[in-house]
Amino acid sequence: MQLKKIKIADLVARNNVFLAPLAGYTNCVFRALCHELGAGLTFTEMVSAKGLCYNSRNTRELLMLDGYADGIKAVQLFGGDPYYMRKAAESEDIAPFELIDINMGCPMPKIFNNGEGSALLKDIPLAQKIVTECKKSGKAVSVKFRTGVDEKRIITRDFAVAMRDAGADMITIHGRTRDKIYSGEVDYDQIALAKSAVDIPVIANGGVFCLEDAEKLMLKTGADGVAVARAALTDPFIFARLTGREVGDKKIYIRRQIEDTFRLFDERFAVVYMRKMLAFYSKGMPGAAGYKLRLFACRTRGEIEQILEEMPF
């Protein structure tokens, strides 16, 4: 894959292989892991603008930072009200972040039915107003969106142009419509159409599980980079392969992930989170089903670490 730096307003990402936001998983420890393995840019889990404005403790926990001295600090906000989006963007909670990514692609019913996420694809003026208000924070702003709500309402190019015109410094396009959720073929042509229509960086997202997938996505869309999502959960080492990095003993990285997760989060969360992560990592291994059964029975850090030592990475 052809690597290059990506300029986002006055920020520069060290390469064009990004970790997409993943609700429930891209906490600061996992982001730091992916960054170390080669990801040029990582994002927080999506954070509710209203949750921040109403002082939600759970929302604030998503903004924890650790180990990002040499990487762009990027937060993903979601919301359907320009007032709350600007208020959140200008808040002390967001102050440490240099880039605000606006979620206009989440397909989940709870988000969509509340007029947020991919529901904004139905209202371009509102989507533009949200970008304009977030830009008033003085921070760089990007937008992540889908090709449309469904096959009858494909608006990729028009939406890309509208986001650029509203002031977005970068866009990421998930090459599926909202109704497809995460299944179906990626629409390379729509991403390519958007790329040809704007002069800001365009990142392509969807269906990247190996180097060949990333190269195909870049070739067919002309995008400036790729964003890896679900593949990172089962194999964060994909970033090393995409960026040509040597890894060595994979267990060293996972041991550190366990250590940092237990250092930064309470034990109950850390146990549940790390047993899920190791279950993801076991995908495709001999005896994967057995590892998963044992992992979900774990109650302590020691039990998780014991299973890690047995896993054939």
Side-chain angles (χ1 to χ4, degrees), residues 20 144 146 173-176 181-188 191 204-218 226-232 238 242:
K144 188 171 188 288
R146 287 176 173 251
I173 306 172
H174 184 145
R176 297 183 178 96
I181 309 297
Y182 302 109
S183 63
E185 295 297 318
V186 172
D187 194 330
Y188 303 109
I191 299 175
N205 174 225
V208 176
F209 290 90
C210 62
L211 177 59
E212 291 73 19
D213 292 337
E215 290 177 336
K216 181 179 179 181
L217 188 58
M218 291 279 287
V226 298
V228 182
R230 290 170 296 154
I238 188 173
L242 293 182

Side-chain angles (χ1 to χ4, degrees), residues 48-78:
S48 167
K50 281 189 176 180
L52 280 183
C53 294
Y54 286 109
N55 299 312
S56 167
R57 178 181 175 183
N58 291 339
T59 299
R60 282 201 166 92
E61 287 180 351
L62 301 176
L63 299 173
M64 189 181 297
L65 289 165
D66 186 60
Y68 278 86
D70 62 343
I72 296 171
K73 293 177 281 293
V75 59
Q76 188 182 73
L77 289 179
F78 77 94

Side-chain angles (χ1 to χ4, degrees), residues 152-225:
K152 295 180 180 179
R153 290 175 283 182
I154 300 289
I155 58 166
T156 322
R157 181 191 180 282
D158 290 346
F159 202 83
V161 171
M163 295 303 96
R164 188 274 315 275
D165 290 349
D169 300 296
M170 180 179 74
I171 56 175
T172 300
I173 306 172
H174 184 145
R176 297 183 178 96
T177 52
R178 182 259 167 181
D179 60 325
K180 297 286 183 58
I181 309 297
Y182 302 109
S183 63
E185 295 297 318
V186 172
D187 194 330
Y188 303 109
D189 292 341
Q190 284 298 315
I191 299 175
L193 193 62
K195 169 59 185 172
S196 67
V198 298
D199 54 359
I200 56 175
V202 175
I203 307 301
N205 174 225
V208 176
F209 290 90
C210 62
L211 177 59
E212 291 73 19
D213 292 337
E215 290 177 336
K216 181 179 179 181
L217 188 58
M218 291 279 287
L219 178 65
K220 286 184 170 288
T221 65
D224 298 289

Side-chain angles (χ1 to χ4, degrees), residues 132-149:
T132 301
E133 290 301 296
C134 286
K135 285 287 291 185
K136 291 177 181 177
S137 67
K139 296 180 181 291
V141 171
S142 61
V143 179
K144 188 171 188 288
F145 63 95
R146 287 176 173 251
T147 58
V149 174

